Amino acid sequence: MPSALIALHYQNDICHPDGRIPFSLDRDGPEPARFLEASRGLIDSAREKGWSVVHVHIAFAPDYSDLPRNCRLFNAVEQLGAVKRGSWGAAPMRGFEPREDDVVLVHSGNNAFHGTGLDEILRERGIDTIVVTGLATQFSVEHTVRHATDLGYRVTVVRDCCTSGNGAAHTASLEVMSYLASITDSRTIDL
């Protein structure tokens, strides 16, 4: 059965050292570089194996008229002026540009399935197994994993290809997701 790699939010404002969202990952030390290198390698491996690679980007209208205003996380995005559709910040980070045969979805929330048509795309391709990577672990990764398991997908989370600006939240989220999905790392995953 075919598989898909879901790559969440590898965008400039979120991952780049000059990005506008300072709490998306811990930019101090070597961890961001390791996370990005492992993620790039996994995406390349998935392509080599013929998997569907799905890039899910978060972006909002330049005036934030489509921004959910029900939580502090999204309100902070507006205050920072981040991930405006068409901006450098909303664009894929260098090395994470989608290829012609990749799927690219844009959403305005945490869950990759919400409002994107992702479930329909995966089912049309006969996919029942997904691998989830990206950030932030406790937000978009976990929301996507929870929804995917509710829909009946077999899910794997690649721990070194997920990150957060809050290490304790990252660890706790991986522990919670271990009840819903297989947890592995990029060196041992069997693609």
Side-chain angles (χ1 to χ4, degrees):
M1 194 59 105
S3 300
L5 176 71
I6 311 300
L8 293 161
H9 303 164
Y10 292 97
Q11 298 165 257
N12 288 320
D13 269 346
I14 299 170
C15 297
H16 193 279
D18 297 328
R20 291 181 178 249
I21 302 177
F23 51 81
S24 56
L25 75 162
D26 183 359
R27 290 185 167 105
D28 296 326
E31 195 55 40
R34 284 196 293 260
F35 156 73
L36 293 169
E37 181 181 338
S39 297
R40 276 189 207 101
L42 187 63
I43 291 169
D44 288 343
S45 294
R47 285 177 177 138
E48 288 170 12
K49 293 288 186 177
W51 287 27
S52 293
V53 174
V54 181
H55 302 268
V56 182
H57 297 155
I58 189 165
F60 302 99
D63 65 355
Y64 294 105
S65 57
D66 57 349
L67 180 100
R69 300 186 184 281
N70 60 325
C71 68
R72 289 182 5 203
L73 178 64
F74 293 126
N75 290 330
V77 168
E78 181 178 19
Q79 291 168 357
L80 294 165
V83 289
K84 291 180 182 182
R85 227 177 268 114
S87 71
W88 170 87
M93 193 166 158
R94 195 170 96 206
F96 290 92
E97 300 90 351
R99 294 195 182 159
E100 186 176 324
D101 53 346
D102 292 346
V103 175
V104 180
L105 303 172
V106 178
H107 68 155
S108 59
N110 282 303
N111 178 351
F113 288 90
H114 183 73
T116 63
L118 177 57
D119 184 41
E120 293 81 6
I121 291 166
L122 297 176
R123 294 198 191 280
E124 284 173 6
R125 294 171 179 226
I127 293 168
D128 69 350
T129 302
I130 64 170
V131 172
V132 182
T133 68
L135 63 170
T137 311
Q138 75 275 22
F139 296 122
S140 298
V141 173
E142 187 172 332
H143 281 241
T144 298
V145 167
R146 287 175 179 270
H147 197 105
T149 58
D150 284 349
L151 292 171
Y153 292 97
R154 287 192 299 270
V155 182
T156 297
V157 175
V158 185
R159 79 170 55 83
D160 60 323
C161 295
C162 296
T163 195
S164 170
N166 181 323
H170 168 80
T171 300
S173 183
L174 289 170
E175 175 64 24
V176 168
M177 287 189 288
S178 73
Y179 291 93
L180 304 170
S182 297
I183 309 294
T184 190
D185 63 52
S186 62
R187 293 171 302 281
T188 60
I189 190 170
D190 184 23
L191 292 181

